[in-house]
Structures are given as C-alpha cells and as structure tokens.
Amino acid sequence: MVSKLWCQEIGHRWRQVAKQEPPQARVLSEPKCQSYVAIWYLYYRWIIFLVWAAFVICSVFEFGSYKPLMQYEKWPIYLTNWDIALGFTQALIGGILVSKRWRLQKISGFDPCNLKLESTERLYWFLYVVTTNMAIGVTVCYWLTVYNPAIHQVDPLNIMMHVCNTVLMLIDLLVTNIPFRLRNFWWCLSIVMFYVIFSVIYYLAGGLDKYGYHYIYKILDWKKPLRTSLVCIGGFTFVTVLHCITCLLANIRDRIYRKTIEKINKPVQIKMNDKPLPEKPTEVV
C-alpha cells in the first residue's frame, strides 16, 4: 500500500514537471543577478568563448602536453573532445545571443519579454545543459576509470581537458540564468548513447586509439561485450543521476539569488508598537 502511494506521488510530481512551460527567451541572454545585459556580462560571455576556443586549439595541437603524439586524426574519437567541441559551440552561440540582446536593448521601447524562443535559443539551451553535464561527467569518469599513470601524464593539457572544463561550467552555471529541468535528462543521455554507438562502429571498423589499442577507452573494449554493455548501462545511469544533481545545483542557485534579492529589496519596517522616547522637559532658569 505504501509503495503504491509512493509511486502515485512520484507519478503526480513527474506530470507536474512535464507540464512546465518553456522558459522565456530572455533568461538565455541575461545574467542571473540582473534583468538586462550589462557591459560586463557582454565581455564575460565572449571571454568564456575565448577560453573554450583555447581549449579546442590546445587539445587539437596538444599544446601543454609533455609527450605530444601528434595524431590529429584521432582527435574526434574521444568523448572529452566531443565535450570540448560542444562547449565551444554553445559558448559561440551564447556570445552571439548576448550581443544581439545588447544591441536590441538600446532601442527605445524594447521589452525583453517579447523575445521569442526560436530554434537558435533552443539549440543554445540544449547545448548548454549537455555541456554542463558532460563536462562534469567527463572529469569524474576520466579520473576514476580512464586515467592510467603508466600512459597518461598529469600535464597542463590533461588538467585543462579534465579539470578546467568542469570548473569553467560550474562557475558559468552560477552566473547565468539558464534553467535546468528534470524532464530534459534525455538530452545528455542521447549524446552519450550516440557516442556508444559510434564506439561500436569504430571498433567494428578496426579503429585504434592514439596508443595503438583496438579500443577508444579500455572500459569500452568491445572484445568483452558483456562487461562493456554493463559499463554502458552504468554510464547511462550515472548521466541521468548527474543531470538530477545539476538541476539541484541550479535550484540552489535560484534560491540563493531569490533570497538575496528579497533581502535587498525588503523595505525597512518600523515597528508600530515601539513607543517614542519621552521628551526631556525644558529647564527654566
């Protein structure tokens, strides 16, 4: 009986989540702390883009690596680089949207509430959520399951690809006003599933990694299909849980900003029951 009621409650909450309306387009182009685009935020968004561009350049040409292998053709096969490419793309679109908003708000009578959630805005929202989840997921999975001191160097490039990406997205998550919703868990999950399919095709085609092994990652060695399938199922579960965690972080962010704004805007209330101090009688000399 208790289990039945519990399942009904979960179903009720999930239906409520599913009925959420799409976000206003304005939230995708303004910071969390302001309802308009200030000059600092315009600079900030393009700085974020330049950082992602630096990530791409360094990863492709292996700048910062102690032992560069110079196998540029292998760059697209790694999930880390998929995350870098997605991060670069979302940062570029974000910079364009904020620049557009910056120009529009200079027009007399401009109302940001009239902005429409078109395909570009929806793509940016999708890429931002996916990049945030993947950045954290790549960092956790790399250091727990992929990193091997015998072949991997803890060099500046490795730190950049598997630490700085997560730090960058977490900082950006606190600054932006982009919503995270539980029902969108399948966004990142679909990218990971697509990567798994790619890894199978790459294996069947005889593809090798940068070190000459017949797999991309050792944990995705399809010579052991049962074990690798279980790893993939665990990965899908991890990505889903990770999305829930990022939604929680976004919710905490929203609560903190909301309470801060309420505290700042709260008018000073004068207690009506406070009695005025009695006037000191004037002494007549």
Side-chain angles (χ1 to χ4, degrees):
M1 183 65 181
V2 175
S3 298
K4 184 178 180 180
L5 292 174
W6 184 70
C7 292
Q8 289 177 349
E9 179 65 19
I10 291 179
H12 175 68
R13 289 181 178 272
W14 183 259
R15 285 191 295 271
Q16 286 183 331
V17 170
K19 291 180 181 178
Q20 286 181 325
E21 295 183 358
Q24 291 186 353
R26 61 176 299 171
V27 302
L28 301 175
S29 58
E30 64 188 26
K32 188 65 184 177
C33 60
Q34 294 174 324
S35 59
Y36 61 95
V37 176
I39 188 65
W40 72 266
Y41 189 65
L42 178 65
Y43 289 153
Y44 169 79
R45 285 258 57 95
W46 284 110
I47 290 173
I48 292 294
F49 165 73
L50 292 177
V51 173
W52 279 108
F55 284 176
V56 172
I57 294 172
C58 290
S59 64
V60 171
F61 297 102
E62 298 183 89
F63 295 151
S65 174
Y66 292 158
K67 295 181 179 180
L69 300 176
M70 301 301 179
Q71 298 189 32
Y72 305 125
E73 72 281 0
K74 302 291 185 181
W75 189 88
I77 71 174
Y78 292 99
L79 185 61
T80 298
N81 296 333
W82 284 33
D83 174 53
I84 297 299
L86 291 172
F88 173 84
T89 306
Q90 64 85 19
L92 175 60
I93 298 175
I96 293 173
L97 290 177
V98 171
S99 298
K100 178 182 176 182
R101 170 78 179 274
W102 167 258
R103 292 193 300 269
L104 288 175
Q105 69 183 17
K106 293 182 179 181
I107 301 174
S108 178
F110 169 72
D111 185 359
C113 294
N114 293 330
L115 292 172
K116 296 181 180 180
L117 191 66
E118 298 179 346
S119 57
T120 304
E121 286 78 8
R122 291 180 183 274
L123 177 62
Y124 175 57
W125 185 24
F126 169 81
L127 291 176
Y128 189 91
V129 172
V130 169
T131 302
T132 302
N133 289 327
M134 284 191 62
I136 301 173
V138 163
T139 296
V140 173
C141 291
Y142 176 80
W143 293 108
L144 292 182
T145 63
V146 176
Y147 174 70
N148 182 358
I151 60 176
H152 298 128
Q153 302 289 324
V154 184
D155 50 32
L157 180 61
N158 201 349
I159 297 298
M160 184 186 301
M161 295 296 99
H162 302 108
V163 176
C164 294
N165 59 336
T166 296
V167 173
L168 181 64
M169 289 310 301
L170 288 177
I171 293 174
D172 203 36
L173 174 64
L174 298 177
V175 176
T176 62
N177 197 17
I178 297 176
F180 283 70
R181 295 181 175 177
L182 287 174
R183 67 175 180 177
N184 297 331
F185 73 94
W186 64 271
W187 287 359
C188 189
L189 190 60
S190 63
I191 299 296
V192 175
M193 286 182 175
F194 184 74
Y195 182 79
V196 169
I197 295 172
F198 165 76
S199 71
V200 174
I201 297 173
Y202 190 77
Y203 169 78
L204 294 176
L208 306 176
D209 74 343
K210 292 192 296 185
Y211 302 96
Y213 296 108
H214 191 197
Y215 50 71
I216 301 176
Y217 297 107
K218 190 174 182 179
I219 58 172
L220 286 180
D221 186 358
W222 289 104
K223 284 184 288 188
K224 304 174 182 178
L226 179 59
R227 190 203 68 173
T228 305
S229 298
L230 293 176
V231 168
C232 292
I233 293 173
F236 298 153
T237 304
F238 171 70
V239 168
T240 304
V241 173
L242 184 58
H243 179 74
C244 296
I245 294 174
T246 53
C247 288
L248 177 62
L249 292 176
N251 185 265
I252 293 173
R253 172 201 65 186
D254 296 342
R255 288 176 179 269
I256 292 174
Y257 273 102
R258 185 164 56 249
K259 289 184 178 181
T260 303
I261 292 174
E262 289 176 356
K263 187 175 181 180
I264 293 175
N265 296 335
K266 186 177 181 181
V268 179
Q269 297 180 353
I270 301 176
K271 296 182 179 180
M272 301 302 295
N273 56 353
D274 287 350
K275 296 181 180 180
L277 295 174
E279 295 183 2
K280 184 178 181 180
T282 305
E283 295 182 1
V284 179
V285 180

